Amino acid sequence: MSNPLTQISWSPYVVGAAIGILSWFSFATADHPLGITSAFEDTAALAGKAAIPSLEETHPYYAEKAKEGDSPKIGWEWMLVVGVFAGAWLSAALSGDRTRMTVPPSWKTRFGASPVKRLAAAFVGGAVMMFGARLAQGCTSGHGISGALQLAVSSWLFVIVMFPAAIGMAFLLYGNKGTQHV
Amino acid sequence: MFDSPDKLALGLVTGIAFGFLLQKGRVAKYEVILGQLLLKDWTVVKVMGTAVVVGSVGVYTLVEGGWASLEVKPLLYGGVISGAVLFGIGMALLGYCPGTSVAACGEGRRDAMVGVLGMLTGAGLFVALHSMMQPIIQGMGNDGKPTLPEVLGISPWAVVAILVAAGILAYWLTSGRTGWRKPADLSGSTHQRAI
């Protein structure tokens, strides 16, 4: 049998179960659920403070967060995000699944080969998605996996609203005809 | 400004495992995420559903034993609902979720790298508008940090048991049908036997 580390893909059930077990590990060792987006908020807040030091006094965000005992920092979750990049790189490098793709094939079929168009959509999509994640205080990891497995009502509400919104948007983008290409 | 070095190292190790799994699960790929949103490829639901079912059993065991505590996010209706709608729209446009965007960068995908720049911009916008957003976030009420078993007035283990049963049922109903399982899944099953 071939080495599992060099295989391009594993069963989604094996991966899902392993992520579930990883969440036990993160609760047991760091008392922390798996989540991604608060590290982005912290990075933006720290960058703002570094670029314009007076912001810390003049912008209400910093005072409000300090009052909550939740000042922006480089913490466990920040390193988790760095690790996700490194782990995915390692997995793709071991299996030869690395790519330099800019325009995914189904996007190309539907919207053309223009990299500018694809990258503009990716930038705007990323910004809107992150703004939404911070309004809701979680993402597909923080709410969708970690919150749902804790049986949190807020997280189940997030999932129940988020997936139909995403599905609706995907059908708006691709239409019924476009779905044949994905 | 910084957590302790051992906590940082722990976060890094946990993240490496998480990113490795996301890449092996093929969810760091545009086609797989859009395939899920267009209801043609159920990889994302399989990965997330299995993670939730398996995770809930272990995490509630840890909480019961006093080895960990729950970290439930507040039920701020305005923030959760408006945030979920924006999140869904943005994710469909980008084709990756936050964690899988970062993993897709590790895979080398250029559109995900620009997506991450967009995410940083969105985070900056949220920080800048933080006070202005509070009426929207708090607007529809704050119900604290309830869990499903608290709301239903039953033991958490009853809810965990329902989740496990639902997961097994969903697997049983779907695994035999052609069309639900794609060729990539079949290679995954081979791997399952390998370990």
Side-chain angles (χ1 to χ4, degrees):
Chain A
M1 279 303 194
S2 64
N3 179 358
L5 298 181
T6 59
Q7 287 185 350
I8 285 180
S9 70
W10 293 355
S11 154
Y13 301 110
V14 170
V15 169
I19 291 174
I21 291 167
L22 188 65
S23 77
W24 308 352
F25 177 79
S26 78
F27 269 95
T29 59
D31 214 358
H32 214 306
L34 298 171
I36 300 288
T37 57
S38 69
F40 276 82
E41 184 179 324
D42 282 2
T43 305
L46 289 171
K49 208 168 70 168
I52 313 168
S54 65
L55 273 183
E56 197 169 5
E57 261 93 61
T58 55
H59 196 284
Y61 176 86
Y62 299 94
E64 282 164 30
K65 284 287 164 181
K67 208 169 72 188
E68 292 168 21
D70 190 21
S71 287
K73 63 174 179 184
I74 308 288
W76 182 90
E77 195 174 313
W78 205 90
M79 294 306 289
L80 183 84
V81 175
V82 174
V84 167
F85 176 84
W89 180 88
L90 185 67
S91 167
L94 285 172
S95 61
D97 200 23
R98 294 261 306 154
T99 174
R100 289 163 176 267
M101 187 186 293
T102 301
V103 185
S106 50
W107 177 280
K108 192 184 273 178
T109 311
R110 178 73 180 85
F111 299 105
S114 160
V116 175
K117 203 166 164 185
R118 169 61 194 143
L119 295 179
F123 185 87
V124 173
V128 171
M129 175 176 77
M130 179 58 65
F131 198 87
R134 294 327 301 156
L135 281 176
Q137 294 186 37
C139 63
T140 16
S141 302
H143 270 312
I145 293 177
S146 304
L149 70 83
Q150 295 182 74
L151 313 176
V153 178
S154 55
S155 300
W156 283 88
L157 177 64
F158 177 85
V159 171
I160 287 167
V161 176
M162 184 275 284
F163 268 114
I167 290 166
M169 183 65 184
F171 274 93
L172 275 179
L173 284 172
Y174 279 89
N176 281 321
K177 211 173 155 205
T179 61
Q180 291 158 13
H181 303 304
V182 173
Chain B
M1 168 99 183
F2 286 97
D3 272 348
S4 63
D6 56 323
K7 212 169 175 195
L8 293 178
L10 208 51
L12 183 67
V13 170
T14 310
I16 290 173
F18 194 27
F20 196 93
L21 289 166
L22 291 174
Q23 207 281 329
K24 285 277 181 265
R26 298 172 60 248
V27 287
K29 298 182 190 301
Y30 178 89
E31 313 291 338
V32 174
I33 302 277
L34 259 291
Q36 179 64 66
L37 299 183
L38 296 169
L39 309 177
K40 302 192 89 183
D41 176 336
W42 290 80
T43 304
V44 175
V45 166
K46 288 174 189 170
V47 169
M48 287 181 72
T50 313
V52 169
V53 169
V54 171
S56 67
V57 176
V59 169
Y60 268 92
T61 304
L62 289 170
V63 170
E64 192 98 330
W67 297 296
S69 49
L70 290 183
E71 291 262 350
V72 173
K73 291 167 196 281
L75 184 52
L76 296 155
Y77 292 97
V80 171
I81 292 170
S82 64
V85 169
L86 286 180
F87 187 97
I89 291 170
M91 180 171 75
L93 205 50
L94 172 57
Y96 309 98
C97 72
T100 54
S101 301
V102 176
C105 290
E107 202 175 296
R109 291 172 174 262
R110 301 300 192 257
D111 54 345
M113 294 176 190
V114 173
V116 165
L117 291 180
M119 283 157 62
L120 281 169
T121 308
L125 216 55
F126 180 78
V127 168
L129 302 176
H130 186 257
S131 313
M132 266 164 69
M133 287 298 123
Q134 293 311 310
I136 295 173
I137 294 173
Q138 316 269 355
M140 291 167 69
N142 178 0
D143 266 359
K145 298 179 174 179
T147 62
L148 293 173
E150 285 165 11
V151 170
L152 298 170
I154 56 177
S155 154
W157 292 108
V159 183
V160 170
I162 292 167
L163 274 186
V164 171
I168 292 171
L169 186 68
Y171 177 78
W172 182 73
L173 285 175
T174 57
S175 60
R177 290 189 195 174
T178 52
W180 280 76
R181 290 174 73 89
K182 303 216 151 207
D185 283 0
L186 298 176
S187 69
S189 321
T190 318
H191 163 72
Q192 229 169 337
R193 283 197 298 275
I195 54 169

